[in-house]
Amino acid sequence: MGLRTRRPRGVTVKTSAQIATMRRAGLVVAEALERMTEAVRPGVTTAHLDQIARAVLADHGASSSFLGYGDPGFPAVICASVGAAVVHGIPNERRLEEGELCSIDFGAIIDGWHGDAAVTVPVGSCAPEVLELNRVTEQSLWAALRVVRPGGRLSDIGAAIEAVVRPRGYGLLEDYTGHGIGTSMHEPPYVPNVAPKGPGHGMALEVGVVLAVEPMATLGTAAVDVLADDWTVVTADRRQAAHWEHTVAVTPDGPWVLTARDGGASRL
Ligand code: MG
């Protein structure tokens, strides 16, 4: 018994030339995240990391996906989410402290096309359980990227993430999701990090679909609060969280990770 899958309203399929432009944006994102990762250490501020990202944008004649986004307009080019912050933290002058996880999320625009990715970097030496949370969250991202291929369905992504994260007992955010991406940072469809009905459901992953996949996992509860700045999402129990993201295109040969310098070759 077959069910016809429909492409949800507003989902666009990109041409190979458009994906090539998105790759250029993705490489700017990769370079900025590498440079910021190298700069993370105790005593550094997230405002400093934001300055590094602004310099990379300027080097490439790229613009920011994040600056001015939303309402109130986001005031920086990176989201820096430290400690109990999961996503959408605003860079500031507070100094990073040993033992914290620092999520850095960054988006760049080249010729009107976006790239979006995030890493989570340990500050100095972290507790083993914190490092393990971070490792497993990154591992869940790569498990999800591997299923972004022709013949797949959207829920394969959430199922792949859950298969890695759930056995560890971590919290997995469900109210925040990945997304389509192209000439806007956020396009349809939503890309959930869970799959209540399992794999094999939802939109077909056809050639030319481009998605940002971004699992967010926590050491404790998955419940979150939004701080008074209207942006920063923190865990309700204030335990630490990790967040990893890549932009990935469906190609005839499988996933192409546009925001990984090697296109994902070493991890897929
Ligand atoms: Mg994103």
Side-chain angles (χ1 to χ4, degrees):
M1 191 168 61
L3 284 175
R4 200 169 104 80
T5 68
R6 278 202 215 133
R7 193 189 296 160
R9 189 182 297 272
V11 173
T12 58
V13 169
K14 280 75 174 176
T15 66
S16 53
Q18 291 167 338
I19 292 173
T21 305
M22 295 187 75
R23 171 61 165 165
R24 289 168 51 215
L27 287 172
V28 173
V29 173
E31 179 183 331
L33 288 173
E34 283 170 16
R35 285 182 50 188
M36 288 186 277
T37 297
E38 288 166 7
V40 168
R41 62 181 63 87
V44 164
T45 69
T46 51
H48 176 68
L49 301 179
D50 189 69
Q51 289 301 319
I52 292 172
R54 287 174 192 256
V56 173
L57 286 171
D59 284 350
H60 293 278
S63 51
S64 169
S65 303
F66 294 7
L67 187 65
Y69 182 87
D71 184 21
F74 194 77
V77 305
I78 66 167
C79 295
S81 307
V82 181
V86 189
V87 287
H88 302 168
I90 299 172
N92 59 33
E93 298 295 339
R94 175 188 168 279
R95 295 182 184 283
L96 294 173
E97 294 176 12
E98 184 113 19
E100 294 177 321
L101 288 178
C102 177
S103 154
I104 307 167
D105 192 345
F106 177 66
I109 309 169
I110 292 271
D111 291 345
W113 293 87
H114 291 250
D116 185 11
V119 296
T120 294
V121 187
V123 181
S125 65
C126 291
E129 64 168 3
V130 170
L131 294 175
E132 184 68 358
L133 168 73
N134 197 31
R135 190 188 68 77
V136 170
T137 308
E138 183 186 14
Q139 186 190 343
S140 79
L141 170 62
W142 284 97
L145 295 171
R146 275 178 215 119
V147 303
V148 179
R149 54 180 63 253
R153 299 282 200 94
L154 192 64
S155 81
D156 298 356
I157 294 169
I161 292 167
E162 284 200 277
V164 174
V165 173
R166 293 290 187 209
R168 311 304 292 261
Y170 298 139
L172 187 57
L173 267 66
E174 299 187 23
D175 293 343
Y176 294 84
T177 70
H179 48 91
I181 181 170
T183 54
S184 298
M185 175 168 60
H186 293 147
E187 293 183 355
Y190 292 106
V191 181
N193 293 315
V194 297
K197 291 192 276 187
H201 295 273
M203 185 185 88
L205 300 178
E206 56 188 301
V207 171
V209 165
V210 185
L211 304 172
V213 179
E214 48 181 318
M216 297 150 239
T218 71
L219 270 183
T221 176
V224 292
D225 300 321
V226 177
L227 296 184
D229 62 19
D230 279 338
W231 278 107
T232 313
V233 177
V234 299
T235 55
D237 60 10
R238 300 302 192 264
R239 297 188 71 191
Q240 294 219 61
H243 170 222
W244 287 83
E245 177 178 18
H246 271 304
T247 296
V248 61
V250 183
T251 81
D253 304 321
W256 183 14
V257 184
L258 303 179
T259 44
R261 201 178 271 283
D262 69 353
S266 63
R267 298 290 300 267
L268 288 169

